[in-house]
């Protein structure tokens, strides 16, 4: 260490023009930095807050930032530096150094999460400060520190114009399939022999080599340089290679980067630990660098194949997510299900809950169980292609509509595969559109269009069956007076309550098409309603349910508008009835004649009903 210090003292101004920013440092720190760095040619900029430092870094260049170890301040400054590099497409990298009262070597996560590059401990010592300066800043003269002569070639600073040999800039990440692509390698070792012999052999074989002298520096360099491959010595200063490996495998960007460990010869425990931490390969010391070159070549090619596979898997996963589609396989011989990740999301159950057919049948909606069994027996087990729409119940109890399709493997009749598509939203939207087109918004009953369609279908059916049906036309008596005196909001509540009461008076025996909820009751508009009575042996049989409707109106309607407003209303209705085929064989004829009969009921004194007669049209 003494020789390094003497080297610095022997060459004043070795960092001539380097700009060092001090952020949020105590008053006692500044004089020490001035005393050490000014004679070496550094310009020192003292900044009292992280906010001001962030503003300055957005528009101006600095070579080094030393900031108090407040994590929020470090993160803010690192974020500004990263954003500026991205926005300006610059290769410039400003190292961020923390000034701390505790040993950051015990907290390596700071180097991964906050954008930190290195640290200094208080009280700051001259030797430690100069070591950090040599580690991260190029000098205007060669020094005996190996890393100082190499780092500028990969990480330039703001004074590149004064150093023509520092123009190469960052190595941008690339998927290297051969050494013709100049893959980048980070060599992390505290052994100077590794640095000299290793760099020489690796660079001779077309590799771009960056050297880190300790574990913490390796973490910082990996974050900035994004190398294609990392070579880690197990015995690194400040943070050993195993911890560096563990940290790198925890990062998304280095999770699959090839990492080769340098271990002591015959240390099988270290080899086991390296593989447990997901090292890609290892070599033993002393390193045979020529052989290592071939292993690097193999690992880079294997990594490229792996990246291509992961990229393909990601594309498939993205396509599944966009389409809301999942894939499945079924080994019918062993009754084992294999689900893609998105297939389990479509079904709303984890893959561990869907391992075989019995598990899958448990999540089916009871109403679709029979159809699913039939499709399974008729098509799937017979080897036919199939497509089926059915409902499942998620682990949270929600009901989803699934469209599943599948096919038996052409070369293996015991293997079936297919897709699952969540069409819940599609069916919900279709139902919304259908209700808007065929249902009344206020009462939820069928509207005029829907009723006419149902009536037309029923007329044709009853002609074939040679039975009668009846159209019941209802008009409320005195509804206008209620609307005018109580208000439209009360009138709307009355219309809805009246529709509900009519539906409640109909029995299954009164209607054949009672599968449309409620299939035979409609609001035509205003205070006019219609009912379709089907499967009648005689036309007069329609009078029974019609009279029930009239009798039900003896009970008043209690309409609650709010906690403070409630209305009790009594109202009657006039009803006309037309029977097919006696009174007509088309929807238009029957509706018109039922309407005529309704007016006859009003003329008879209201709150009663009349069947159509020819005299009603005169």
């Amino acid at each position: 260490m003494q020789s390094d210090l003497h080297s610095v003292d022997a060459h004043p101004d070795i960092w001539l023009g380097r700009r060092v920013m001090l952020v949020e440092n105590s008053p006692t720190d500044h004089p020490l930095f001035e005393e050490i760095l000014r004679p070496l040619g550094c310009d020192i900029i003292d900044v009292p807050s992280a906010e001001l430092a962030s503003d300055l870094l957005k528009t101006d260049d600095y070579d080094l930032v030393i900031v108090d170890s407040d994590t929020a301040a470090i993160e803010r400054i690192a974020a500004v530096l990263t954003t500026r590099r991205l926005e300006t497409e610059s290769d410039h990298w400003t190292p961020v150094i923390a000034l701390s009262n505790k040993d950051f070597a015990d907290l390596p996560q700071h180097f991964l999460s906050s954008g930190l590059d290195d640290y200094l401990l208080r009280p700051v010592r001259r030797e430690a400060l100069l070591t950090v300066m040599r580690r991260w800043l190029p000098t205007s003269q060669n020094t005996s520190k190996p890393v100082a002569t190499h780092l500028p070639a990969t990480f330039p600073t703001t004074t590149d114009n004064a150093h023509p040999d520092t123009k190469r800039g960052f190595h941008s990440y690339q998927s290297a399939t051969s050494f013709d692509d100049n893959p980048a390698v980070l060599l992390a070792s505290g052994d100077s022999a590794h640095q000299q012999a290793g760099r020489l052999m690796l660079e001779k074989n077309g590799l771009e080599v960056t050297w880190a002298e300790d574990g913490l520096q390796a973490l910082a360099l990996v974050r900035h340089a994004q190398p294609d491959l990392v070579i880690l010595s197990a015995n690194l200063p400040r943070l050993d290679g195993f911890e560096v490996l563990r940290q790198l495998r925890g990062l998304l960007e280095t999770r699959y980067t090839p990492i080769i460990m340098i271990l002591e010869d015959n240390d099988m425990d270290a080899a086991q630990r390296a593989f447990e931490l997901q090292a890609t390969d290892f070599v033993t010391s002393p390193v045979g660098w020529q052989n290592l070159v071939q292993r690097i070549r193999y690992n880079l090619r294997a990594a490229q194949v792996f990246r291509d596979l992961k990229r393909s898997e990601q594309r498939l996963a993205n396509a599944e997510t966009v389409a809301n589609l999942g894939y499945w396989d079924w080994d019918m011989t062993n009754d084992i299900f294999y689900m893609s990740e998105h297939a389990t999301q479509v079904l709303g159950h984890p893959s561990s809950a869907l391992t075989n057919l019995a598990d899958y049948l448990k999540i089916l909606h009871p109403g679709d169980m029979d159809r699913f069994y039939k499709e399974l027996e008729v098509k799937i087990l017979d080897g036919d292609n199939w497509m089926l729409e059915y409902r499942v119940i998620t682990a949270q109890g929600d009901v989803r509509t699934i469209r599943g399709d599948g096919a038996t493997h052409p070369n293996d009749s015991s293997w079936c595969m297919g897709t699952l598509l969540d069409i819940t939203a599609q069916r919900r939207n279709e139902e919304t559109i259908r209700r808007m087109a065929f249902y009344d918004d206020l009462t939820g009953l069928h509207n005029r269009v829907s009723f006419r369609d149902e009536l037309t279908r029923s007329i044709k059916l009853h002609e074939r069956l040679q039975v009668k049906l009846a159209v019941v036309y209802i008009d409320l008596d005195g509804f206008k007076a209620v609307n005018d005196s109580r208000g439209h909001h009360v009138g709307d509540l009355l219309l809805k309550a009246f529709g509900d009461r009519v539906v409640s008076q109909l029995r299954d025996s009164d209607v054949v098409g009672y599968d449309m909820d409620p299939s035979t009751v409609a609001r035509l508009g205003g205070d006019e309603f219609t009912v379709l009575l089907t499967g009648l042996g005689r036309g007069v049989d329609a009078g029974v349910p019609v009279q029930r409707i009239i009798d039900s109106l003896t009970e008043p309607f209690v309409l609650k508008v709010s906690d403070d407003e409630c209305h009790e209303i009594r109202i009657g209705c006039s009803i006309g009835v037309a029977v097919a085929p006696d009174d007509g064989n088309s929807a238009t004829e029957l509706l018109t004649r039922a309407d005529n009969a309704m007016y006859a009921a009003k003329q008879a004194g209201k709150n009663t009903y009349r069947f159509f007669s020819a005299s009603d049209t005169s």
Side-chain angles (χ1 to χ4, degrees), residues 433-506:
I433 293 171
R434 190 177 76 86
R435 293 200 67 84
M436 292 173 63
F438 297 111
Y439 288 84
D440 176 57
D441 288 341
L442 177 62
T443 64
L445 301 173
H446 287 271
N447 60 19
R448 182 185 297 272
V449 173
S450 179
F451 186 82
R452 286 181 68 93
D453 289 345
E454 178 70 7
L455 176 56
T456 299
R457 287 192 295 270
S458 295
I459 291 171
K460 294 177 181 178
L461 174 63
H462 283 65
E463 284 177 350
R464 292 197 300 270
L465 298 175
Q466 295 184 345
V467 291
K468 300 179 184 295
L469 62 79
V471 173
V472 178
Y473 205 108
I474 307 173
D475 185 85
L476 295 182
D477 297 329
F479 176 74
K480 185 177 184 302
V482 173
N483 233 7
D484 293 343
S485 61
R486 306 291 182 97
H488 289 284
H489 65 295
V490 176
D492 287 346
L493 289 176
L494 178 58
L495 291 173
K496 188 177 187 309
F498 177 78
D500 292 341
R501 188 167 295 185
V502 170
V503 171
S504 70
Q505 297 307 307
L506 297 177

Side-chain angles (χ1 to χ4, degrees), residues 339-354 359-360 362-364 392-398 400:
M339 298 275 182
S340 71
E341 181 179 354
H342 200 72
T344 63
Q345 295 175 16
V346 167
L347 296 171
H349 291 271
S351 58
S352 59
L354 300 170
D359 291 339
Y360 198 81
K362 290 177 184 177
I363 73 172
L364 291 181
V392 298
I393 301 175
T394 70
Q396 289 72 39
D398 300 325
R400 293 181 184 173

Side-chain angles (χ1 to χ4, degrees), residues 391-412:
R391 291 165 294 174
V392 298
I393 301 175
T394 70
Q396 289 72 39
D398 300 325
V399 177
R400 293 181 184 173
T401 303
I402 305 296
R403 186 168 69 210
D405 61 33
T408 303
H409 194 283
N411 300 321
D412 187 353

Side-chain angles (χ1 to χ4, degrees), residues 4 15 18-19 72 89 101 142 179 239 271 276 316 353 458 464 504 519 545:
D4 292 336
W15 285 299
R18 299 300 194 217
R19 307 182 72 200
E89 298 183 352
N101 293 318
N142 292 330
F179 283 12
L239 192 67
E276 287 175 353
L316 179 59
S458 295
R464 292 197 300 270
S504 70
S519 62

Side-chain angles (χ1 to χ4, degrees), residues 164-417:
D165 61 334
T166 65
K167 291 289 188 179
R168 285 169 54 196
F170 283 98
H171 169 79
S172 58
Y173 176 80
Q174 57 183 334
S175 299
T177 57
S178 72
F179 283 12
D180 293 337
D181 298 319
N182 299 114
V185 173
L186 174 71
L187 173 57
S189 175
D191 187 336
S192 60
H194 288 170
Q195 189 265 338
Q196 295 171 1
R199 278 185 54 203
L200 179 64
M201 181 59 68
L202 297 179
E203 290 178 347
K204 179 181 178 182
N205 282 273
L207 294 162
E208 293 183 8
V209 182
T210 299
W211 182 53
E213 62 183 4
D214 60 57
L216 294 182
Q217 188 183 29
L219 289 177
L221 291 175
V222 167
R223 185 179 70 246
H224 288 290
Q226 299 181 2
D228 294 299
L229 184 138
V230 177
I231 303 172
L232 282 178
S233 174
N235 301 318
L236 286 173
R238 294 208 292 174
L239 192 67
D240 70 45
F242 296 107
E243 179 59 24
V244 175
L245 173 60
R246 188 185 70 81
Q247 295 284 337
L248 292 179
R249 287 303 186 224
L251 290 176
L252 180 62
E253 57 268 29
T254 54
R255 185 171 300 167
Y256 304 117
T257 299
I259 300 178
I260 300 175
M261 295 288 292
I262 301 177
L263 307 176
E264 294 299 321
D265 193 17
N266 297 322
D267 191 345
M268 299 310 298
D269 291 338
Q272 179 64 29
R273 184 182 178 192
F275 280 118
E276 287 175 353
L277 293 172
Q278 301 179 44
T280 311
D281 200 351
F282 74 89
V283 294
T284 58
S285 185
V287 178
W289 292 102
Q290 183 59 54
N291 292 333
L292 180 59
V293 167
Q294 303 308 318
R295 298 177 81 156
I296 291 173
R297 187 187 303 274
Y298 169 79
N299 279 290
L300 285 173
R301 288 176 176 172
Q304 178 61 41
V305 173
F306 186 77
R307 278 194 294 267
D308 290 343
L309 175 61
K310 298 303 291 186
R311 190 177 298 113
S312 178
E313 290 178 351
Q314 188 60 53
R315 286 172 181 158
L316 179 59
N318 291 343
E320 287 186 77
T321 302
V322 171
N324 211 8
L325 183 76
Y327 294 87
W328 57 269
D329 292 86
W330 180 25
D331 177 358
M332 291 184 283
T333 301
N334 300 302
D335 189 19
I336 300 175
F337 273 169
Y338 302 93
M339 298 275 182
S340 71
E341 181 179 354
H342 200 72
T344 63
Q345 295 175 16
V346 167
L347 296 171
H349 291 271
S351 58
S352 59
L354 300 170
T355 60
N356 53 44
L357 179 61
D359 291 339
Y360 198 81
L361 294 177
K362 290 177 184 177
I363 73 172
L364 291 181
H365 191 284
D368 295 337
M369 188 75 72
D370 290 341
R371 288 193 306 111
F372 190 89
Y373 267 122
K374 183 177 180 181
E375 196 77 9
L376 180 70
E377 293 174 356
V378 173
K379 292 186 177 179
I380 299 179
L381 298 181
D382 287 344
D384 294 335
N385 296 349
W386 61 278
M387 184 172 68
L388 180 66
E389 185 175 315
Y390 55 92
R391 291 165 294 174
V392 298
I393 301 175
T394 70
Q396 289 72 39
D398 300 325
V399 177
R400 293 181 184 173
T401 303
I402 305 296
R403 186 168 69 210
D405 61 33
T408 303
H409 194 283
N411 300 321
D412 187 353
S413 59
S414 67
W415 195 274
C416 190
M417 61 193 69

